[in-house]
Amino acid sequence: MEDLQSSVQEAVESEASIREKVRRLTVEALAEGKLDGGQVKTVVETVVKGASEGMETHGGRARQSLEEALKGLEDGLVKAAEASKLSLEEAASRADEFTEREVKQAFDQLVELEKLYIDTLADVAKRGGEQSREILTDLVRHARHSGTSVGGYLTQVMETLPRKLQEAGQWGFKAGVETARSTGAQLAAIASGFLAGIADTLDRQSQKKQQAKKPKQD
């Protein structure tokens, strides 16, 4: 997490493609571990701390820089939500391999993703310096009132996913008592795998852009 915080700080300080860089860093960090609530909270805290420190170099443009970083963070969380959705659809197509409890746990974590993001943002704001605290508190207030891109994506997901899971439950999720290995760990691992694929795609896109920007040699 120290590497992530310093990388985000450097991305914000560079003031070039902040949103894109933070999105990629967020996705890569989330893909490295088990994609669950604890991992998301830790990554959000780390990214916001790095962005808050990085904005200090921008003076009057500090708020704009921090807002760009948070947009990148939200973009990354949308990708995480996409990976979680794919893992739940995978569970629905292989219902007899998963318990109803672990599917419900993964679904609840997906539904709560926007709330987890905003609540974590509010917690970091309380512990930040005067400037970052003021900006973050204002952004949290706006997010609670108007929503975020994460919530917008989840609204789309809720139009189809609950029905798929209900139909899968009618076929019958795996019966029996869950083992200690279970409790959603399998689905979290599947989601991390999907997110790792998304991270690879974003990395390749970034490399292509960097190569395109390089001056052609005669």
Side-chain angles (χ1 to χ4, degrees):
M1 287 300 109
E2 288 182 6
D3 289 342
L4 174 61
Q5 184 170 331
S6 61
S7 294
V8 171
Q9 181 178 343
E10 290 172 8
V12 175
E13 287 175 347
S14 72
E15 208 171 0
S17 305
I18 293 175
R19 181 172 182 172
E20 180 184 342
K21 290 176 181 176
V22 173
R23 176 190 63 175
R24 184 163 50 82
L25 288 167
T26 300
V27 172
E28 289 174 353
L30 289 170
E32 286 179 0
K34 184 176 69 173
L35 188 55
D36 59 13
Q39 171 79 346
V40 171
K41 182 177 177 62
T42 299
V43 170
V44 170
E45 287 179 342
T46 305
V47 169
V48 176
K49 287 177 183 176
S52 298
E53 292 178 5
M55 76 169 194
E56 300 291 345
T57 63
H58 295 312
R61 290 174 54 83
R63 182 187 177 95
Q64 182 180 345
S65 299
L66 185 55
E67 286 179 343
E68 281 296 298
L70 292 187
K71 286 178 182 177
L73 174 57
E74 287 185 25
D75 290 344
L77 291 175
V78 168
K79 294 299 182 184
E82 182 181 334
S84 295
K85 169 181 172 285
L86 290 172
S87 72
L88 284 164
E89 289 177 341
E90 182 82 0
S93 68
R94 297 158 45 195
D96 60 338
E97 299 178 30
F98 299 90
T99 65
E100 186 173 357
R101 179 181 170 186
E102 68 179 322
V103 171
K104 184 179 185 303
Q105 179 180 337
F107 179 77
D108 288 347
Q109 286 185 349
L110 176 60
V111 172
E112 292 293 314
L113 182 60
E114 183 184 41
K115 182 179 184 302
L116 176 62
Y117 164 57
I118 296 175
D119 287 350
T120 304
L121 206 60
D123 288 342
V124 177
K126 294 175 185 176
R127 302 194 299 268
E130 183 177 351
Q131 185 179 28
S132 65
R133 181 169 61 248
E134 181 179 343
I135 296 173
L136 286 172
T137 299
D138 187 44
L139 293 175
V140 167
R141 187 163 45 246
H142 181 269
R144 292 194 194 282
H145 181 266
S146 303
T148 68
S149 58
V150 180
Y153 176 76
L154 292 176
T155 298
Q156 298 175 28
V157 170
M158 291 305 115
E159 292 177 0
T160 58
L161 185 58
R163 186 180 71 251
K164 290 183 179 180
L165 294 178
Q166 182 180 22
E167 291 171 352
Q170 289 171 353
W171 313 335
F173 286 113
K174 184 174 66 177
V177 179
E178 283 189 289
T179 64
R181 177 202 58 78
S182 201
T183 65
Q186 187 179 359
L187 273 175
I190 292 173
S192 294
F194 281 124
L195 192 57
I198 293 172
D200 288 342
T201 299
L202 293 176
D203 189 47
R204 288 196 298 271
Q205 290 174 346
S206 177
Q207 289 176 3
K208 285 182 180 179
K209 286 183 179 180
Q210 290 176 2
Q211 291 173 356
K213 290 179 180 179
K214 291 180 179 179
K216 294 182 180 179
Q217 297 182 359
D218 297 332

